[in-house]
């Protein structure tokens, strides 16, 4: 404050005078006082200490403070030349401390580094960040502050990497591995890193000649030693289905209030980039009539957040669906604020048994964590019911996983549409002669016996043929030693990235 007042007094007549006065007034606001660890109830009361409550608040505060100091430099310097000198000096001081193994110092240093390193970052500099990140990961315990600050720094640095950077695609797979590890403390930053790398790969024009999955799977080859083991542990195969594997490991964040925004943002980025990469000369208008197969997993994972007609229409815009095909997409144009959209299997491109298996399995997994008698449940059960008309045996396979939900619907649901859809699914499963033995036992679960149902063996075998057995499981976040065990695989992956 004293510095700003001194600058303002000496530069009142200059053009920066009003901007300096604005900064001085800004420093007295409650939001800015908190950045300096202070607060007061009224403008006349005494200052007291302010301490952030969570790790996220600590990092957010440090990041906002750094951005505010940069703003003060930009206004106070008075010239571009002096500003560059100040930034270079600050950058030099930060760089000299960021790579020292001291969690308290590193956390603050990497937050500042991410704010300052916004242009012309070379691969050698990112290499140093990755080495520090690897060291911090090997020592991770209950506190993840230092590691998260490094992830935030990487997110800021990615847009400044050279066009021919060898790391940009590899950072995508680092983000995927962190999401696979299911540590809740890394979810938001890992999601952001995934989205940022994908957008910058697209800006470099790297998807013009290859699809998203093809390009990124080629980039993953040097990392197969570790990534194949991570895939095996969660039962997913990116080669078999890139979008369903990725959507499944991201979806767990949709059900967590504090992580939902991050999950939605990265899924929309994946959907939009994949759709744009699939555009070709066969679509002269630039619009589509159905969901591209490579984007299907992301589209389904986003449905719980876009159940209202107006919101669902926004989701269709992300998919470049022409307005003429909105009725086929399940949107009633005459009643946009009314009923729940009903999506047809044809619109989703469910034209073969493998696609039907992946869709029904993923939808079944989503239903296991759905809230109940709501629009999401109505949409998902209606989709399963419609798929049952074309692929009855496939829907019958999913029945075991859904028995508890079906029991709950038949006992408690008041929504006629949900009851009709569930009745259709139940009837199709009963008519499947290959399941008669199983169904005799499962029918009793609609009575008084409470049993925890899971995917049947035939269902798991069918998924195993695609390398996608994990799709039938409700992936959740790991806690304590389980989370640490999964994270212990990541340093090996980082070692391969920087090799």
């Amino acid at each position: 404050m004293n510095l700003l007042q001194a600058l303002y007094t000496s530069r009142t007549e200059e053009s920066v005078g009003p901007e300096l006065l604005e900064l001085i007034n800004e420093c007295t606001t409650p939001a800015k006082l908190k950045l300096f660890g202070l607060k007061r109830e009224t403008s006349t009361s005494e200052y007291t200490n302010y301490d952030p409550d969570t790790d996220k608040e600590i990092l957010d505060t440090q990041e906002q403070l750094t951005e505010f100091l940069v703003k003060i430099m930009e206004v106070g310097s008075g010239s571009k030349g002096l500003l560059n000198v100040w930034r270079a000096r600050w950058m030099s001081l930060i760089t000299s401390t960021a790579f020292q193994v001291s969690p308290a110092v590193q956390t603050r240093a990497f937050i500042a580094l991410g704010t300052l390193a916004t242009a012309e970052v070379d691969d050698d500099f990112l290499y140093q960040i990755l080495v520090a990140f690897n060291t911090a990961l090997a020592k991770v315990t209950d506190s993840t502050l230092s590691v998260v600050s490094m992830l935030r720094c990487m997110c800021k640095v990615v847009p400044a990497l050279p066009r021919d950077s060898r790391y940009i695609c590899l950072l995508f797979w680092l983000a995927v591995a962190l999401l696979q590890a299911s540590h809740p403390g890394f979810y938001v930053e890992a999601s952001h890193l995934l989205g940022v790398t994908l957008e910058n790969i697209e800006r470099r024009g790297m998807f013009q000649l290859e699809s998203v999955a093809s390009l990124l799977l080629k980039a993953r080859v040097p990392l197969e030693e570790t990534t194949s083991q991570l895939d095996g542990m969660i039962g997913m195969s990116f080669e078999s289905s890139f979008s369903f594997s990725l959507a499944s490991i991201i979806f767990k964040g949709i059900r967590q209030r504090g992580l939902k925004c991050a999950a939605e943002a990265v899924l929309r980025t994946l959907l939009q980039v994949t759709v744009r990469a699939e555009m070709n000369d066969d679509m002269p208008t630039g619009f589509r009539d159905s969901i591209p197969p490579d984007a299907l997993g992301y589209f389904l994972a986003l449905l719980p957040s876009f159940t209202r007609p107006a919101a669902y229409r926004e989701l269709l815009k992300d998919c470049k669906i022409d307005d003429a095909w909105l009725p086929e997409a399940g949107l009633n144009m005459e009643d946009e604020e009314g009923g729940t959209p009903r999506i047809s299997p044809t619109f989703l491109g469910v034209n073969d048994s493998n696609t039907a298996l992946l869709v029904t399995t993923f939808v079944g997994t989503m239903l296991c964590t759905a809230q109940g008698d709501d629009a999401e449940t109505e949409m998902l059960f209606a989709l399963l019911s419609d798929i049952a008309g074309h692929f009855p045996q496939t829907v019958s396979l999913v029945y075991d996983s859904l028995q508890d939900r079906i029991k709950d619907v038949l006992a408690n649901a008041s929504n006629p549409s949900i009851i009709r859809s569930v009745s259709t699914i139940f009837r199709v499963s009963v008519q499947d002669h290959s399941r008669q033995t199983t169904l005799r036992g499962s029918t009793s679960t609609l009575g008084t016996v409470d049993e925890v149902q899971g995917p049947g063996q035939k269902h798991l075998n069918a998924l195993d043929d695609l390398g996608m057995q994990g799709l039938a499981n409700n992936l959740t976040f790991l806690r304590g030693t389980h989370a640490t065990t999964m994270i212990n695989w990541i340093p090996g992956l980082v070692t391969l990235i920087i090799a």
Side-chain angles (χ1 to χ4, degrees), residues 401-417:
S401 302
L402 290 174
Q403 285 191 67
D404 286 341
R405 290 312 310 271
I406 289 175
K407 169 188 172 182
D408 181 64
V409 167
L410 294 179
N412 303 310
S414 59
N415 186 318
S417 177

Side-chain angles (χ1 to χ4, degrees), residues 352-397:
D352 61 85
S353 58
N354 284 344
T355 303
L357 177 63
L358 293 173
V359 170
T360 54
T361 301
F362 191 36
V363 169
T365 305
M366 292 163 65
L367 277 167
C368 288
T369 56
Q371 296 301 308
D373 194 12
D374 59 3
E376 177 194 345
T377 303
E378 182 179 344
M379 286 180 73
L380 297 180
F381 268 127
L383 177 57
L384 284 181
S385 174
D386 291 341
I387 293 175
H390 302 279
F391 298 94
Q393 289 186 326
T394 303
V395 173
S396 179
L397 289 175

Side-chain angles (χ1 to χ4, degrees), residues 190-210:
S191 297
H192 191 198
L193 181 60
L194 191 153
V196 168
T197 53
L198 193 69
E199 288 173 336
N200 280 273
I201 292 170
E202 183 187 32
R203 289 194 189 105
R204 286 163 166 77
M206 297 170 72
F207 295 137
Q208 291 179 356
L209 300 177
E210 285 187 87

Side-chain angles (χ1 to χ4, degrees), residues 47 65 148 199 258 263 305 307 336:
Y47 289 105
L65 175 59
V148 171
E199 288 173 336
S305 303
T307 55
E336 284 200 29

Side-chain angles (χ1 to χ4, degrees), residues 188-491:
V188 173
E189 274 67 31
S191 297
H192 191 198
L193 181 60
L194 191 153
V196 168
T197 53
L198 193 69
E199 288 173 336
N200 280 273
I201 292 170
E202 183 187 32
R203 289 194 189 105
R204 286 163 166 77
M206 297 170 72
F207 295 137
Q208 291 179 356
L209 300 177
E210 285 187 87
S211 68
V212 173
S214 174
L215 177 79
L216 292 172
L217 286 173
K218 285 181 181 178
R220 192 172 85 144
V221 171
L223 312 178
E224 284 292 334
E225 180 183 335
T226 300
T227 55
S228 60
Q229 296 184 67
L230 285 170
D231 291 354
M233 282 191 285
I234 64 171
M236 296 292 179
S237 170
F238 285 88
E239 289 81 5
S240 179
S241 178
F242 192 89
S243 75
F244 277 98
S245 297
L246 203 46
S248 180
I249 64 173
I250 294 172
F251 184 76
K252 56 182 174 284
I254 291 286
R255 301 304 193 198
Q256 302 289 326
R257 181 176 299 177
L259 308 178
K260 185 177 180 180
C261 289
E264 287 178 8
V266 70
L267 284 168
R268 289 192 79 171
T269 298
L270 284 161
L271 179 66
Q272 292 164 356
V273 171
T274 303
V275 167
R276 287 195 293 265
E278 294 286 320
M279 304 299 281
N280 54 52
D281 295 335
D282 295 332
M283 293 175 286
T285 63
F287 291 98
R288 310 186 62 92
D289 58 2
S290 62
I291 304 298
D294 286 350
L296 184 52
Y298 317 132
F299 180 81
L300 290 173
L302 282 165
L303 286 179
S305 303
F306 294 85
T307 55
R308 295 181 64 83
Y312 180 61
R313 186 166 187 172
E314 289 299 314
L315 183 60
L316 295 178
K317 287 182 180 178
D318 288 347
C319 302
K320 301 292 184 184
I321 300 299
D322 189 273
D323 286 352
W325 295 96
L326 293 182
E328 296 295 324
L331 198 60
N332 185 351
M333 298 297 294
E334 297 178 358
D335 187 20
E336 284 200 29
E337 296 300 324
T340 302
R342 184 169 186 132
I343 309 165
S344 73
T346 304
F347 174 72
L348 297 179
V350 183
N351 301 318
D352 61 85
S353 58
N354 284 344
T355 303
L357 177 63
L358 293 173
V359 170
T360 54
T361 301
F362 191 36
V363 169
T365 305
M366 292 163 65
L367 277 167
C368 288
T369 56
Q371 296 301 308
D373 194 12
D374 59 3
E376 177 194 345
T377 303
E378 182 179 344
M379 286 180 73
L380 297 180
F381 268 127
L383 177 57
L384 284 181
S385 174
D386 291 341
I387 293 175
H390 302 279
F391 298 94
Q393 289 186 326
T394 303
V395 173
S396 179
L397 289 175
V398 184
Y399 179 83
D400 284 343
S401 302
L402 290 174
Q403 285 191 67
D404 286 341
R405 290 312 310 271
I406 289 175
K407 169 188 172 182
D408 181 64
V409 167
L410 294 179
N412 303 310
S414 59
N415 186 318
S417 177
I418 295 177
I419 295 172
R420 281 194 300 270
S421 298
V422 165
S423 299
T424 299
I425 296 166
F426 182 70
R427 183 172 62 255
V428 166
S429 299
V430 169
Q431 292 171 349
D432 183 359
H433 298 292
S434 66
R435 292 178 43 79
Q436 289 301 314
T437 303
T438 307
L439 280 169
R440 286 192 198 101
S442 67
T443 303
S444 66
T445 66
L446 299 176
T448 59
V449 181
D450 290 327
E451 298 176 9
V452 178
Q453 301 295 336
Q457 193 57 50
K458 286 186 177 180
H459 186 194
L460 293 175
N461 290 341
L463 288 170
D464 196 41
D465 290 341
L466 300 176
M468 295 292 290
Q469 197 173 97
L471 194 64
N473 300 320
N474 178 28
L475 297 180
T476 57
F477 289 103
L478 302 177
R479 306 284 177 177
T481 55
H482 296 292
T484 305
T485 301
M486 287 294 289
I487 287 297
N488 287 339
W489 285 90
I490 310 300

